[in-house]
Amino acid sequence: MGSMVFSMSALAAPGEDSTVSIVCQDEKDCIEQLESIKLNTMEPISLSQSEVASLFAEKDGIQPYTTVPDDCEPNDTFTTAYPYNQVPEMTPQLTGKNQLFTLGMRHAGLHSAEDEDWYSIKLTAGETYFVDIRNLVQCDWFIEVYYIRSDNTGYCYSSDPSLRPVYSKKTEKYFYFDAQDTGTHYIRVTSGGDWSDQMHYFFYVGPAIQTFDIVDMPTYGGVQMVGSSYRTYTCDLSGMAVPAQTAIVNLSMSDSFSGSTICPEVDKYMSAGGKTYYSKSGSNVISGIANASLGQAWTIGGRCSKSMHATYWSGKLNGRFACIMAPYPGNELSF
């Protein structure tokens, strides 16, 4: 295949602070601001008619399995490609701060040295996409995306370590690309000749900017409410809790009690980045939290407004955020 070309790097190198604070008014504004951040996108590798014919030739039968196949099998050729949107999604919404490794990811596995997996997906020209495969335990498994034209030529985007040494023996391989054509694309996952045992890989192929719901997410702390003063604790959502480039679309915090005593008159607040959001009188929810970045350390305070309930209280979060899909913190590559 032809040579692989990358645009100038716009991702921070490992160890650099790549977080950008995004504040916005609504979902459209959040996405527009995230779209303004320049991403490092991959250029396609051109494929001739003979290269397409060789790669997409029908193989003899189905790959032999040495382990129990997953629900996507048989998907060993592009003609048996499994629809990507039907692959099980691991974490479709955020319910805890330790779910970033699987957030938005789908999962499947290779089951023999000869096995490879194919998936089909419809992409739109002009849109920027993120491709990621992780949970690889330092091997040369890799992921590619193909498009075949009507004249039987085509092109692909590849994380094959033999083409790009930066991917060699990495536990995660990823890239961004701008789709050139609208229509069905094919995703290929292969061991690259580096299969020693069954592994379940996690992968994502989709918009570089994604939105997720937050559902009853705990805030990892709490206070014993006694007396009239606010008691506070810290909920740290930076680092490995949420993606680095994240914008709140909407967010609210409601009450959670661990004991039998429930206080119906909790005054509460969330504070970060010089902004503080209070509950309104008579409401048990802080709503309308916006104009702040989700991925930071929040100070959370609570008290009984009537100083009459002694109970252990904490907050729980619900809402929605937009983010730029990215490698898991610590797995960034320098292109």
Side-chain angles (χ1 to χ4, degrees):
M1 292 192 292
S3 62
M4 180 183 293
V5 181
F6 281 78
S7 64
M8 295 299 292
S9 177
L11 290 177
E16 294 182 2
D17 182 6
S18 61
T19 302
V20 175
S21 179
I22 300 293
V23 296
C24 47
Q25 298 295 330
D26 53 32
E27 185 163 345
K28 180 181 178 182
D29 185 26
C30 291
I31 291 175
E32 287 178 349
Q33 291 198 49
L34 289 169
E35 286 177 340
S36 69
I37 298 174
K38 180 176 171 56
L39 297 175
N40 175 33
T41 54
M42 181 185 285
E43 296 297 322
I45 303 169
S46 295
L47 300 173
S48 66
Q49 288 183 342
S50 61
E51 288 172 323
V52 168
S54 175
L55 181 69
F56 284 75
E58 286 289 346
K59 298 178 174 65
D60 295 330
I62 301 299
Q63 306 290 0
Y65 303 132
T66 60
T67 62
V68 177
D70 56 59
D71 292 340
C72 301
E73 298 287 356
N75 62 332
D76 305 308
T77 69
F78 85 102
T79 57
T80 58
Y82 195 84
Y84 173 81
N85 63 7
Q86 294 181 24
V87 181
E89 190 172 3
M90 303 183 71
T91 307
Q93 57 191 21
L94 198 65
T95 60
K97 71 174 186 178
N98 297 316
Q99 296 175 329
L100 183 56
F101 191 74
T102 57
L103 186 64
M105 293 284 151
R106 299 172 190 259
H107 66 94
L110 298 180
H111 306 283
S112 72
E114 296 81 15
D115 191 19
E116 59 183 48
D117 290 344
W118 287 81
Y119 306 91
S120 60
I121 187 171
K122 291 185 178 180
L123 304 181
T124 302
E127 296 293 323
T128 301
Y129 293 93
F130 181 58
V131 178
D132 190 329
I133 185 169
R134 60 181 64 163
N135 200 45
L136 299 184
V137 197
Q138 295 185 331
C139 69
D140 279 342
W141 293 26
F142 63 89
I143 188 169
E144 299 177 313
V145 176
Y146 289 86
Y147 182 79
I148 308 304
R149 304 186 185 96
S150 58
D151 65 356
N152 289 324
T153 62
Y155 53 86
C156 78
Y157 305 89
S158 177
S159 61
D160 184 349
S162 69
L163 300 175
R164 187 69 171 176
V166 69
Y167 292 121
S168 179
K169 302 300 180 183
K170 299 301 181 182
T171 60
E172 181 171 4
K173 301 174 178 68
Y174 63 90
F175 54 86
Y176 299 92
F177 74 94
D178 296 324
Q180 296 186 348
D181 292 272
T182 296
T184 299
H185 290 61
Y186 294 96
I187 304 162
R188 179 188 180 218
V189 175
T190 176
S191 67
D194 194 18
W195 193 92
S196 59
D197 198 359
Q198 177 187 23
M199 291 193 302
H200 279 271
Y201 57 85
F202 307 157
F203 71 124
Y204 175 88
V205 179
I209 297 174
Q210 187 62 273
T211 56
F212 295 99
D213 290 327
I214 303 171
V215 179
D216 290 338
M217 179 177 170
T219 49
Y220 300 95
V223 295
Q224 186 70 42
M225 292 195 303
V226 178
S228 60
S229 299
Y230 279 103
R231 302 291 182 96
T232 64
Y233 64 97
T234 299
C235 175
D236 190 355
L237 298 183
S238 61
M240 291 183 285
V242 297
Q245 319 297 354
T246 302
I248 294 173
V249 174
N250 58 71
L251 187 66
S252 65
M253 184 175 71
S254 57
D255 300 331
S256 178
F257 301 93
S258 62
S260 59
T261 301
I262 294 176
C263 174
E265 298 105 358
V266 178
D267 285 341
K268 49 189 165 288
Y269 71 84
M270 289 183 66
S271 179
K275 298 179 182 293
T276 302
Y277 305 86
Y278 290 93
S279 57
K280 295 180 180 179
S281 178
S283 172
N284 68 344
V285 175
I286 302 177
S287 58
I289 300 172
N291 293 320
S293 173
L294 180 62
Q296 53 186 326
W298 292 83
T299 298
I300 296 175
R303 69 179 182 181
C304 174
S305 63
K306 297 183 178 180
S307 303
M308 61 182 293
H309 292 104
T311 185
Y312 190 82
W313 169 88
S314 64
K316 61 181 177 181
L317 302 178
N318 284 276
R320 187 172 178 84
F321 67 93
C323 67
I324 296 178
M325 298 296 287
Y328 189 70
N331 288 348
E332 299 87 353
L333 300 174
S334 295
F335 296 112

